[in-house]
Amino acid sequence: MQVKTKAIVISSLKFQEKSLIVKCFTLSNGLKSYFVRDAFSSRKASQKIAYFQPLSILEIEAVHKNKGTLENFKEIKTAVPFQTIHTDIFKSTIVMFVSEILHHSIQEEEKNEPLFVFLETALTWLDHHDEISNFHLILLLETTKYLGFYPDISEIDLPYFEMREGIFNQFHASTALSEHETNLFKKLLDLKFDNNQKVFHVAERQILLKILIDYYSLHLEGFKKPKSLDILKEIFS
């Protein structure tokens, strides 16, 4: 089946000497993996590889056989030409980290248009703004809405957030956050991308980052801590 759709690059892996295996989150079909033959061998190789930087947003035409094998691109062009994301060290570190999170979080080959639209909107916002120190925290939390484990905030006035159940509780269970951690988490729940990015100190952001990684680990089978986590901490310390 021939498909024309937008696609967000989740990861790319060099295969043998000249080729790439590219995993994309597509608007039309969810997660898909593509084989790019001779990505490193043609005269325009650098141009071709540039398409597949983490979280690039593409417009693709592809042949989807839907047999669980690698698919093939017919045509690729940039759908959203980023101005700063891949050149600013802070932003490029964020997208490397977020792409790893998504790589371990989006596991189904099924359409999730709301998640795609959210990610496209968030990445466009990142490209156009400079105050971004809480971007990755807000994005990780908001993404749980589309993956099915956003916190239940109906009892948000209670003092402890219970991580396994995703609810606020009167009592401190074994997988609950401390009262201080819960208060930080509540503050994060209120944040939007356009809010004041200086609302947290560095140490508080580190606490929240650990909470979110642990939260993903509890709710997603096979979730792995991103290798770029230490780089992200270093950049934002």
Side-chain angles (χ1 to χ4, degrees):
M1 176 172 58
Q2 191 160 319
V3 175
K4 186 173 183 178
T5 182
K6 280 186 176 178
I8 298 173
V9 176
I10 302 298
S11 65
S12 59
L13 179 69
K14 192 172 183 180
F15 180 74
Q16 297 178 343
E17 286 301 308
K18 299 178 180 179
S19 302
L20 274 176
I21 295 172
V22 180
K23 183 180 285 188
C24 291
F25 180 53
T26 69
L27 179 60
S28 62
N29 296 87
L31 207 59
K32 285 286 182 184
S33 292
Y34 299 89
F35 183 65
V36 184
R37 189 182 304 279
D38 296 333
F40 295 92
S41 62
S42 72
R43 202 177 292 173
K44 295 184 178 179
S46 59
Q47 239 176 303
K48 191 181 284 190
I49 294 160
Y51 285 126
F52 305 121
Q53 294 184 78
L55 303 190
S56 293
I57 304 175
L58 307 175
E59 184 79 48
I60 66 168
E61 285 188 39
V63 176
H64 287 176
K65 294 178 181 174
N66 298 317
K67 294 180 178 178
T69 55
L70 295 174
E71 313 290 15
N72 291 286
F73 294 118
K74 287 195 73 177
E75 192 175 324
I76 310 166
K77 61 183 179 182
T78 301
V80 180
F82 292 138
Q83 304 301 313
T84 63
I85 278 182
H86 296 305
T87 54
D88 180 295
I89 183 65
F90 295 98
K91 294 181 182 183
S92 61
T93 302
I94 285 173
V95 298
M96 180 169 58
F97 170 75
V98 171
S99 67
E100 273 198 85
I101 291 284
L102 296 175
H103 177 75
H104 295 302
S105 303
I106 304 172
Q107 297 161 347
E108 298 297 323
E109 266 198 39
E110 58 184 42
K111 186 175 180 177
N112 190 337
E113 188 171 331
L115 175 56
F116 188 98
V117 171
F118 166 70
L119 291 173
E120 181 179 23
T121 304
L123 290 166
T124 303
W125 185 94
L126 177 65
D127 191 48
H128 289 92
H129 292 79
D130 296 321
E131 295 294 324
I132 58 167
S133 51
N134 297 319
F135 175 87
H136 55 300
L137 302 176
I138 299 167
L139 185 137
L140 260 63
L141 183 57
E142 289 293 308
T143 297
T144 66
K145 286 180 180 175
Y146 307 98
L147 297 177
F149 56 99
Y150 188 74
D152 179 348
I153 58 173
S154 59
E155 302 280 355
I156 198 168
D157 291 335
L158 296 177
Y160 302 106
F161 181 65
E162 210 294 308
M163 297 268 278
R164 189 175 294 280
E165 298 298 322
I167 60 173
F168 290 88
N169 210 328
Q170 183 67 48
F171 306 102
H172 188 264
S174 60
T175 55
L177 302 179
S178 69
E179 202 162 348
H180 171 62
E181 291 169 335
T182 299
N183 285 333
L184 287 178
F185 194 62
K186 287 178 182 180
K187 197 184 285 189
L188 179 60
L189 281 162
D190 276 341
L191 277 192
K192 304 298 178 197
F193 291 130
D194 283 322
N195 290 147
N196 178 11
Q197 294 285 312
K198 295 183 173 67
V199 67
F200 298 120
H201 298 303
V202 171
E204 292 174 332
R205 279 199 294 272
Q206 303 288 23
I207 290 168
L208 284 165
L209 187 55
K210 182 182 185 306
I211 288 168
L212 288 164
I213 296 294
D214 290 345
Y215 191 54
Y216 270 67
S217 298
L218 281 168
H219 290 269
L220 291 174
E221 191 175 341
F223 180 81
K224 296 177 183 176
K225 186 173 83 169
K227 293 176 182 176
S228 56
L229 181 59
D230 292 336
I231 303 169
L232 185 78
K233 287 179 179 177
E234 185 70 29
I235 287 287
F236 284 98
S237 63

